[in-house]
Amino acid sequence: MKNVVSQRFIKCHDKLKAEKRIRSSRAFAMSLDYLPQSLSEILKGRRDVTIELLRQAINKYKLNPVYLFTGDGPMFMTEESNQNFRVLTTITTPESEEMIVHVPLPAQSVYAGELGDPSFVESLPTFSLPDYKYKVGTHRSFDVPGDSMEPTLFEGDKIVCAFLEPTLWESGIKDNYAYVIVTRSDVVVKRVRNFLDESKELEVVSDNSFYDSYRIPLSDLREIWYVRARITPFLPSPQNIQRYVHDEMKELKATIAQQGKLINRLGASVDKVLGNRRDS
């Protein structure tokens, strides 16, 4: 019994033939570097479509991945919807369970620029988590770059994220939630304010107040991942936490005392000026 994705794939194939965009099923298979006999098995319902065949068909014939995997939207992507779309390469076990691909910090700039090159993604480390929620949908993990999200996320943390389909960006991206945003040249972890409906932009905000917010135009967006969990190597002891709070309080008291001295000096200067005016 073929699965629902295979059924939708067959509908796309049939529509391509009906519109004479392909001459035959054999020509379709050959154009995708796929054995015609194996495609025939899929079309007859004896075999399920493979991830690699889906990837090739999406690239060449603009099959709509959202339709294939959810049944929503048109069968084929328009040029406008395809402009920013990026076909994901996924890694599965022999049992067809999808693995979590990890993108380490040194690979992130390459990841942004490779546009989903399968050979690059396949070279990255993979792992799985026991929680069932990570078995549904596509997940990636990323190293947190820099200190812009402190004190929520620290450099050295790893964040596990769920893929957000481009067709859901406008309605599905929630203000003030944390996302991994892959642009044409970079990978950033930020909180987001969604202005896609108004100005076709996302405003990204750091938890570290040292960094200013800025906006990313829709045309620069490549992938968006919703942050679901953090894996951290840091396990502070209660003593360390108390010392951190003590140091923060000590620094705060010193700042207040310094500001108090400045206010007193300012007050003395004002009194002196006023006294000189009365004398004159």
Side-chain angles (χ1 to χ4, degrees), residues 3 16 26 38 45 54 125-126 151 179-181 190 199 251 272:
N3 65 32
L16 287 170
R26 178 180 176 80
S38 298
L54 286 175
T126 59
Y179 294 86
V180 170
I181 301 167
K190 301 286 183 182
S199 59
E251 184 178 346
K272 185 176 180 180

Side-chain angles (χ1 to χ4, degrees), residues 61-124:
Y61 294 102
K62 310 308 179 194
L63 274 61
N64 184 357
V66 178
Y67 167 77
L68 289 171
F69 289 101
T70 70
D72 295 332
M75 287 186 182
F76 301 94
M77 294 184 290
T78 63
E79 286 302 317
E80 180 180 358
S81 64
N82 187 48
Q83 182 179 7
N84 297 312
F85 193 81
R86 173 171 176 162
V87 179
L88 284 180
T89 299
T90 57
I91 310 297
T92 57
T93 66
E95 293 77 28
S96 297
E97 292 186 3
E98 189 170 326
M99 302 290 286
I100 299 172
V101 176
H102 178 65
V103 186
L105 189 58
Q108 289 182 7
S109 60
V110 181
Y111 180 86
E114 285 293 331
L115 298 181
D117 178 16
S119 61
F120 172 73
V121 175
E122 289 166 2
S123 71
L124 296 174

Side-chain angles (χ1 to χ4, degrees), residues 7 47 58 69 83 86 115 128 177 197 217 219 241:
Q7 293 172 13
R47 178 183 295 187
I58 289 168
F69 289 101
Q83 182 179 7
R86 173 171 176 162
L115 298 181
S128 62
Y177 280 70
D197 184 37
S219 59
I241 295 174

